[in-house]
């Protein structure tokens, strides 16, 4: 079954394998990134097959849903809504009276999510979020920060900050560095493949987001790493300070 999965995924990945961008910032080491149009095309091709990734993302997503502390009446934004599976759980957890809104770059993901949830789905690049400040009680970003250039992450976390209400809660998930021998070995292989072609990895590479979240000014930060099928995921939850302002 696993080999059939890999063969099927490769069939959809190969057309984008040669698309990548190398970014540099000052004297920093070059950063190879799947450019936005190629990422959009990749996830348009994957569509509802993205749910297959549950074999290594499922446990982390379950813990993320718990960290959101869902309750009726909340207004929640899901950035990188994907197929809408988690958005459906969010919508159920905040009913009655709550509002769940999803955002995704991929046209096909938005279509699939809309069919699954029936909630408001916006197609947009998260780096140009079309949402006003002080709007949401919770913001969930699952496995989308690890697609973006590192130089964009601080500003995006600041945008997350701005769109949250005072004392609002941020919950993020991302691929991260290994924490034990199997996960460290797998991440080493993942990095080697990513260096060959980011498209093979769907544009995702391991990040460690704790310091960036701290620098943005969030408080009550909690971090844990969940390993499933050898793949480590970083789960961070944090609150927006009630009085401070992010610039």
């Amino acid at each position: 079954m696993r080999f059939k999965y890999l063969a099927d995924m490769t069939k959809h990945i190969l057309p984008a394998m040669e698309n990548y961008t190398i970014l540099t910032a000052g004297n920093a080491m070059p950063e190879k990134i799947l450019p936005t149009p190629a990422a959009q095309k990749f996830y348009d091709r994957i569509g509802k097959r993205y749910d297959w990734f549950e074999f290594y993302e499922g446990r982390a997503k379950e813990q993320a849903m718990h960290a959101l502390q869902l309750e009726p009446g909340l207004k929640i934004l899901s950035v990188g809504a994907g197929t809408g599976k988690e958005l459906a759980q969010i919508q159920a957890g905040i009913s009655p009276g709550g509002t769940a809104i999803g955002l995704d770059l991929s046209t096909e993901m938005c279509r699939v999510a809309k069919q699954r949830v029936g909630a408001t789905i916006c197609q947009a690049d998260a780096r140009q979020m079309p949402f006003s400040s002080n709007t949401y009680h919770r913001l969930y970003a699952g496995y989308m920060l690890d697609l973006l250039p590192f130089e964009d992450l601080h500003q995006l976390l600041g945008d997350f900050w701005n769109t949250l209400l005072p004392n609002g809660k941020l919950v993020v998930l991302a691929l991260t560095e290994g924490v034990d021998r199997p996960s460290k070995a797998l991440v080493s292989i993942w990095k080697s493949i990513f260096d060959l072609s980011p498209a093979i990895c769907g544009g995702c590479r391991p990040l460690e987001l704790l310091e960036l979240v701290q620098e943005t000014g969030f408080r009550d930060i909690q971090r844990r790493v969940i390993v499933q099928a050898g793949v480590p995921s970083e789960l961070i939850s944090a609150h927006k300070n009630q009085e401070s302002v992010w610039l």
Side-chain angles (χ1 to χ4, degrees):
M1 182 69 179
R2 183 67 55 80
F3 290 110
K4 181 180 183 301
Y5 160 82
L6 291 172
D8 241 355
M9 291 299 295
T10 302
K11 179 175 67 177
H12 293 279
I13 289 168
L14 286 175
M17 278 184 62
E18 295 183 357
N19 294 314
Y20 63 84
T21 298
I22 296 179
L23 302 173
T24 59
N27 295 321
M29 293 292 291
E31 184 181 18
K32 187 182 287 188
I33 291 293
L34 193 65
T36 300
Q40 182 175 0
K41 185 176 181 180
F42 177 92
Y43 288 98
D44 281 345
R45 287 178 181 272
I46 295 295
K48 63 182 179 182
R49 298 177 185 86
Y50 184 78
D51 286 342
W52 296 352
F53 295 161
E54 291 293 302
F55 83 87
Y56 70 82
E57 294 180 351
R59 292 177 194 162
K61 288 179 176 178
E62 287 178 8
Q63 294 193 34
M65 292 300 101
H66 179 74
L68 282 170
Q69 298 176 305
L70 302 175
E71 57 185 64
L74 295 181
K75 190 170 185 178
I76 299 186
L77 175 63
S78 175
V79 181
T83 64
K85 188 172 183 179
E86 287 70 53
L87 190 61
Q89 296 177 45
I90 290 169
Q91 190 172 53
I94 61 177
S95 297
T99 301
I101 297 175
L103 181 147
D104 203 278
L105 176 68
S106 163
T107 303
E108 179 63 12
M109 289 294 192
C110 290
R111 185 191 67 80
V112 172
K114 184 68 175 177
Q115 287 183 341
R116 173 174 265 166
V117 185
T120 300
I121 309 290
C122 301
Q123 183 182 2
D125 187 325
R127 291 165 292 184
Q128 289 89 45
M129 283 205 304
F131 301 107
S132 58
S133 299
N134 299 315
T135 303
Y136 297 96
H137 297 98
R138 308 279 191 273
L139 190 150
Y140 169 63
Y143 298 106
M144 51 79 56
L145 294 174
D146 44 22
L147 278 77
L148 301 178
F150 191 82
E151 63 185 17
D152 291 347
L153 296 180
H154 191 255
Q155 178 62 51
L156 183 56
L157 286 168
D159 292 340
F160 288 176
W161 168 284
N162 287 333
T163 201
L164 282 167
L165 287 161
N167 206 38
K169 189 172 189 181
L170 172 72
V171 176
V172 297
L173 273 177
L175 182 68
T176 194
E177 298 290 344
V179 293
D180 54 22
R181 183 174 295 177
S183 61
K184 287 178 180 178
L186 190 144
V187 167
S188 178
I189 295 169
W190 190 298
K191 288 179 177 179
S192 297
I193 296 172
F194 185 90
D195 190 58
L196 174 66
S197 171
I200 299 176
C201 303
C204 300
R205 84 290 193 201
L207 295 175
E208 292 184 311
L209 295 168
L210 178 60
E211 186 174 341
L212 280 174
V213 174
Q214 291 172 332
E215 290 175 355
T216 307
F218 286 95
R219 62 175 175 82
D220 301 332
I221 301 172
Q222 296 186 2
R223 178 186 185 268
R224 71 190 74 163
V225 176
I226 302 99
V227 179
Q228 184 176 357
V231 180
S233 296
E234 181 180 46
L235 169 60
I236 292 180
S237 63
H239 285 88
K240 175 179 178 178
N241 280 330
Q242 189 155 357
E243 301 298 335
S244 56
V245 177
W246 193 89
L247 298 176

